[in-house]
């Protein structure tokens, strides 16, 4: 089995516990997500314990789909409290999920279940979490609909607002008057159905969040 966790101390502690329980544990070198994936596919672990927040490497969710497609369906071990995020991983093929706040007995039970091909989480829990992801997607799609009404220029102005630029700086960077930019901002607010730039930027940041899918876009390879 493999541990994909960016905190060295936690990774070493989990490795020691799992090794004591008779598991052969591999910890891939954390140089990049591609390198981690290549090593996991080459070694062919039966179970991969995967954290989602891998620090500078990025989001562990990008490893879920390719690992699942290769027959190494990972068990998510995450501090995330967002049901939709865990549901997304399950939708992409994760074998299950264990919260980082869980006890070691719960983690060992999950690892053993995954190793034996048994369900890691109850079907009711899986259904609830995947439902949370689908609900999140539906809400995001609804939020995206007004954005489609923005002109190309309005979309550019909104992106600059999200980046923290005010009307004066946008006008200066775009070689137009402040009045023109403020007119564009008013149009953006009206089309998005919000009352302030703060609401507009919050909405824009939310719809930028990951959509369904994930993975590296690689061709499917089998573990081992």
């Amino acid at each position: 089995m493999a541990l994909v966790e960016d905190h060295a101390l936690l990774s070493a502690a989990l490795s020691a516990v799992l090794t004591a329980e008779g598991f052969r544990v591999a910890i891939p070198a954390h140089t990049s997500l591609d390198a981690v994936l290549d090593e996991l596919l080459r070694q062919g672990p039966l179970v991969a314990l995967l954290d989602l927040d891998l620090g500078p490497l990025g989001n562990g969710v990008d490893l879920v789909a390719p690992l699942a497609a290769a027959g190494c369906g990972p068990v998510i071990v995450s501090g995330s409290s967002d049901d939709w995020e865990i549901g997304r991983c399950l939708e992409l093929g994760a074998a299950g999920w264990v919260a980082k706040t869980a006890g070691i007995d719960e983690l060992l039970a999950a690892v053993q279940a995954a190793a034996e091909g048994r369900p890691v989480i109850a079907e009711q829990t899986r259904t609830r979490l995947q439902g949370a992801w689908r609900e999140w997607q539906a809400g995001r799609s609804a939020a995206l609909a007004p954005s489609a009404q923005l002109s190309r220029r309005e979309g550019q102005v909104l992106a600059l607002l999200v980046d923290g630029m005010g009307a004066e700086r946008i006008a200066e960077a775009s070689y137009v008057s402040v009045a023109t930019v403020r007119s564009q901002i008013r149009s953006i607010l009206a089309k998005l159905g919000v009352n302030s730039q703060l609401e507009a930027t919050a909405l824009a940041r939310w719809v930028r969040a990951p959509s369904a899918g994930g993975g590296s876009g690689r061709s499917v390879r089998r573990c081992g």
Side-chain angles (χ1 to χ4, degrees):
M1 68 167 299
L3 284 174
V4 184
E5 162 63 59
D6 68 317
H7 290 91
L9 183 59
L10 177 57
S11 187
L14 287 175
S15 178
V17 170
L18 292 166
T19 299
E21 292 293 322
F23 292 97
R24 182 173 61 86
V25 181
I27 302 177
H30 290 171
T31 55
S32 70
L33 284 182
D34 281 343
V36 169
L37 180 59
D38 284 340
E39 188 170 342
L40 292 179
L41 295 178
R42 185 173 62 252
Q43 292 184 1
L46 183 59
V47 178
L49 294 183
L50 176 63
D51 189 11
L52 296 184
D53 182 2
L54 295 176
L57 290 187
N59 195 336
V61 72
D62 291 332
L63 298 176
V64 175
L67 286 176
C72 307
V75 175
I76 307 302
V77 182
S78 174
S80 173
S81 58
D82 292 325
D83 285 355
W84 69 265
E85 186 171 34
I86 304 303
R88 181 188 185 207
C89 292
L90 296 173
E91 194 89 340
L92 290 172
W97 164 67
V98 179
K100 279 191 173 180
T101 54
I104 193 64
D105 289 342
E106 185 176 344
L107 176 64
L108 290 173
V111 171
Q112 193 63 49
E116 295 174 358
R118 294 184 288 107
V120 175
I121 58 177
E123 189 59 33
Q124 182 178 5
T125 301
R126 176 181 288 274
T127 299
R128 176 179 62 79
L129 293 170
Q130 288 180 293
W133 164 238
R134 291 166 189 159
E135 183 178 335
W136 188 94
Q137 283 184 296
R140 183 173 182 270
S141 295
L144 276 170
S147 300
Q149 302 177 42
L150 299 182
S151 69
R152 182 171 178 273
R153 175 55 186 166
E154 288 167 347
Q156 293 172 340
V157 170
L158 179 57
L160 293 174
L161 290 173
V162 170
D163 290 339
M165 294 179 66
E168 292 78 7
R169 287 185 60 197
I170 294 174
E172 181 181 351
S174 306
Y175 302 101
V176 297
S177 69
V178 175
T180 296
V181 173
R182 285 177 175 159
S183 176
Q184 292 166 339
I185 292 174
R186 286 194 296 272
S187 179
I188 290 169
L189 300 185
K191 289 181 179 180
L192 294 182
V194 297
N195 299 314
S196 68
Q197 291 183 39
L198 183 61
E199 288 181 87
T201 55
L203 178 62
R205 289 190 183 96
W206 187 62
V207 299
R208 279 183 180 182
S211 59
S216 65
R218 296 163 173 249
S219 57
V220 174
R221 294 164 51 192
R222 302 300 296 178
C223 283

